[in-house]
Amino acid sequence: MKNFVAGAWIDKPKKIEVTNPFDNSVIDTVPRADAGDLEKALAFAERGAKVMAKLSSYERWKILRKAADMMAARNEELGQIISKEEGKIIAEGRGEANRAVETMMGSAEEAKRLHGETVPLDADPTGSNKLGFTLRVPCGVVAAIAPFNFPLNLVCHKVGPALAAGNTVIIKPASDTPLSAIKLTEILLEAGLPPEGIQCLTGSGGEIGDALVADRRVRKVTFTGSREIGERICRTAGIKKVTMELGSNSPVIVMPDADMEKVATVLAMTGYGNAGQTCISTQRVLTAKKVYSDLLSALKPKVEALTTGNQLDEKNKVGPMVKESEAVRVDEWINEAVSGGARLVAGGGRRGAIYLPAVVADVHPDMRISRDELFGPAVAVTPFDTIEEAIALANDSIYGLAAGIFTDNVEWAMKFAREAEAGNLHVNWGSQWRVDLMPYGGLKDSGFGKEGPKYAVNEMTELKMVVFHLNS
Ligand code: NAP
């Protein structure tokens, strides 16, 4: 596939190979953009911002709405691309493609809802004869930097609201999974988006990322990815708006009154979906001592039933990780925990890029599989005595993206809602649940700013205050 830069599809002799992680076969290649391509994109974007700012709300709605309809009609094609380049099972690929439609549809709706408000200036003793109101205006040029794990929907969460708000966007997809973002660019252009509205540049983040982020022509950076790169971007960006959607090691608390069958069924989904490569994947299962062995007995068969293999084979429940080196890393972390005294209750070990879904018990909170972001198909189970201890363990993390509790006790659930340090909290579910309209984002080192079209359009605009100084 090609890049879309300065209004044209371009190719380059230098390529990045995009592979299917199941068998390492090359699915396609994309250009490896360099500093020259980036400069071209930035210069064009500066002009593009002016074109986009002139589109009416209705025109922006129409384009996004049409793009959403086209994506719905092409669900199977998009699902296949996602699944092949990322490794998630085909049902999850189709699911992501469906969600992306909702994200674009929600963004289209927000294009019609952006508004300012009148401000009662005469409520101030010096404010008589003043009339004030706010105007929401686009930021201008938005750099949208996306991770590998949801290569379509997370790009839509940036591009949809940015276009709804009247910006021009430069997409920098992850190098492992750039194809879905290029397809989205194609669809948006076909839906009538002016070529000035979008550019998609594939290339190594390490090579072109700093220059993109630091450039003064870029007025907004929206980033989803790892904490390490997020921190680097915050330092490099300088004075501009920034949104950070970063990682996590999400905890789920299992209280003694929980329905163990339900807990096990849910955890087998929320800890292992997309081979654990979801930012809100359940990683730490904090379990009341009273039901500790019940939890392990209920969870083990459910996790062992997660068949692994080719992600395109409908019978498999867990596909390969995005690349073999990731499965090697997960294996190392789990082996390290087991050497340190933790117990492998189910799964473990790898075949190529596939890591066999694992349950690791007796995990000490200081072990790497508990403390850092594992981003793989395994959960770390740790016992506790009281709800106070459980919440303290849950909060003992630099991250704060999502958390869950299983209990029917209202007092416990409310204590959790008030005290757990995470941006998304779930009662009687695991940490991994999201619909695309809700405000979504982390606390602490999991980032700042919210996605979800209604919230993201605010992040993609600036607010101006206008005051009329009237004579009477
Ligand atoms: P990553 O390694 O941080 O990469 C994310 C993006 O940043 C890629 O496009 C990458 O390009 C680019 N990049 C690398 N260096 C850069 C630089 N110096 N300047 C600008 N951009 C740069 O993350 P990942 O491995 O793709 O994704 C997994 C991470 O994303 C996990 O930590 C996960 O929790 C997090 N995540 C968070 C959310 C959320 O909503 N909070 C959602 C999904 C994922 P290359 O690919 O070319 O290196």
Side-chain angles (χ1 to χ4, degrees):
M1 286 188 183
K2 295 179 181 172
N3 277 183
F4 191 69
V5 177
W9 289 102
I10 58 154
D11 211 348
K12 287 183 76 73
K14 276 198 173 172
K15 309 268 191 215
I16 297 173
E17 285 189 340
V18 185
T19 55
N20 176 340
F22 177 66
D23 56 11
N24 281 323
S25 57
V26 176
I27 315 165
D28 210 331
T29 61
V30 293
R32 189 183 191 101
D34 58 23
D37 303 308
L38 178 62
E39 177 48 39
K40 223 188 213 178
L42 288 164
F44 187 75
E46 207 177 16
R47 280 181 280 135
K50 295 196 177 80
V51 174
M52 286 302 293
K54 289 205 181 97
L55 284 190
S56 68
S57 303
Y58 177 76
E59 285 169 309
R60 301 196 306 267
W61 168 80
K62 210 169 131 192
I63 294 162
L64 288 167
R65 175 66 219 245
K66 182 153 184 215
D69 287 345
M70 288 169 66
M71 288 164 69
R74 290 164 70 170
N75 174 273
E76 183 61 27
E77 176 196 348
L78 293 170
Q80 291 275 343
I81 294 174
I82 294 168
S83 182
K84 278 185 195 150
E85 67 175 343
E86 203 268 353
K88 65 184 59 170
I89 56 168
I90 184 64
E92 291 173 334
R94 291 179 190 126
E96 181 178 343
N98 275 331
R99 281 183 57 190
V101 173
E102 292 304 315
T103 306
M104 294 302 272
M105 200 74 91
S107 300
E109 288 160 6
E110 293 309 322
K112 286 194 166 184
R113 283 185 201 140
L114 268 176
H115 55 76
E117 60 179 1
T118 53
V119 181
L121 297 177
D122 66 350
D124 185 273
T126 62
S128 59
N129 294 339
K130 313 285 176 193
L131 176 74
F133 57 90
T134 59
L135 283 177
R136 262 195 188 281
V137 296
C139 295
V141 179
V142 173
I145 306 176
F148 75 83
N149 62 336
F150 286 83
L152 182 64
N153 193 32
L154 291 184
V155 176
C156 290
H157 267 289
K158 301 182 180 315
V159 172
L163 296 178
N167 297 285
T168 186
V169 188
I170 301 177
I171 311 173
K172 209 313 266 167
S175 294
D176 287 326
T177 57
L179 304 179
S180 306
I182 298 176
K183 268 281 156 214
L184 176 69
T185 307
E186 245 175 66
I187 290 172
L188 280 162
L189 291 167
E190 249 182 273
L193 182 68
E196 290 85 356
I198 197 142
Q199 302 185 77
C200 185
L201 209 63
T202 54
S204 155
E207 288 167 21
I208 57 170
D210 287 355
L212 170 64
V213 164
D215 199 278
R216 297 180 79 92
R217 288 166 288 189
V218 173
R219 297 312 310 149
K220 162 84 195 182
V221 176
T222 167
F223 173 78
T224 301
S226 62
R227 196 196 75 84
E228 292 68 26
I229 303 292
E231 188 168 30
R232 183 184 175 109
I233 290 174
C234 286
R235 290 184 200 286
T236 315
I239 301 171
K240 55 177 63 99
K241 284 179 78 125
V242 175
T243 299
M244 286 283 140
E245 299 284 349
L246 309 178
S248 180
N249 55 357
S250 303
V252 168
I253 297 171
V254 183
M255 294 305 290
D257 65 329
D259 169 350
M260 242 8 102
E261 190 54 25
K262 176 176 176 181
V263 174
T265 303
V266 172
L267 291 182
M269 294 187 268
T270 65
Y272 304 87
N274 196 20
Q277 300 164 114
T278 302
C279 48
I280 46 177
S281 198
T282 301
Q283 182 176 328
R284 297 179 289 146
V285 180
L286 309 170
T287 307
K289 276 187 185 149
K290 205 171 149 198
V291 292
Y292 191 77
S293 60
D294 298 344
L295 180 272
L296 293 177
S297 311
L299 189 55
K300 180 179 160 66
K302 305 258 186 229
V303 172
E304 285 173 343
L306 297 172
T307 47
T308 57
N310 187 340
Q311 72 272 27
L312 298 174
D313 183 338
E314 309 267 354
K315 77 173 188 310
N316 289 325
K317 298 281 182 268
V318 176
M321 299 191 68
V322 70
K323 52 191 166 201
E324 189 168 350
S325 57
E326 279 299 282
V328 170
R329 178 187 59 77
V330 168
D331 200 33
E332 275 169 18
W333 288 23
I334 288 180
N335 289 340
E336 183 184 291
V338 170
S339 317
R343 189 158 47 96
L344 199 55
V345 172
R350 67 175 188 94
R351 288 194 315 266
I354 293 176
Y355 192 81
L356 303 181
V359 176
V360 190
D362 307 344
V363 171
H364 190 276
D366 282 339
M367 289 174 174
R368 201 146 49 142
I369 57 163
S370 179
R371 183 148 299 282
D372 293 343
E373 181 179 35
L374 179 68
F375 225 54
V379 298
V381 190
T382 301
F384 68 81
D385 280 311
T386 62
I387 178 117
E388 286 77 17
E389 192 194 344
I391 292 176
L393 280 168
N395 289 345
D396 181 20
S397 169
I398 59 169
Y399 295 113
L401 187 54
I405 189 167
F406 284 93
T407 183
D408 286 333
N409 180 316
V410 178
E411 297 294 326
W412 285 340
M414 210 45 226
K415 186 176 174 65
F416 164 80
R418 287 205 174 104
E419 296 178 18
E421 296 165 353
N424 295 280
L425 298 166
H426 300 277
V427 176
N428 284 328
W429 204 258
S431 51
Q432 193 202 322
W433 193 88
R434 179 183 189 184
V435 290
D436 294 281
L437 54 81
M438 70 192 217
Y440 182 88
L443 309 183
K444 306 200 287 190
D445 279 19
S446 289
F448 50 85
K450 298 288 176 209
E451 288 197 337
K454 176 179 168 189
Y455 308 90
V457 284
N458 283 337
E459 313 264 352
M460 301 288 182
T461 50
E462 307 268 15
L463 201 63
K464 291 207 246 179
M465 176 75 210
V466 183
V467 181
F468 277 60
H469 300 261
L470 303 168
N471 292 326
S472 57

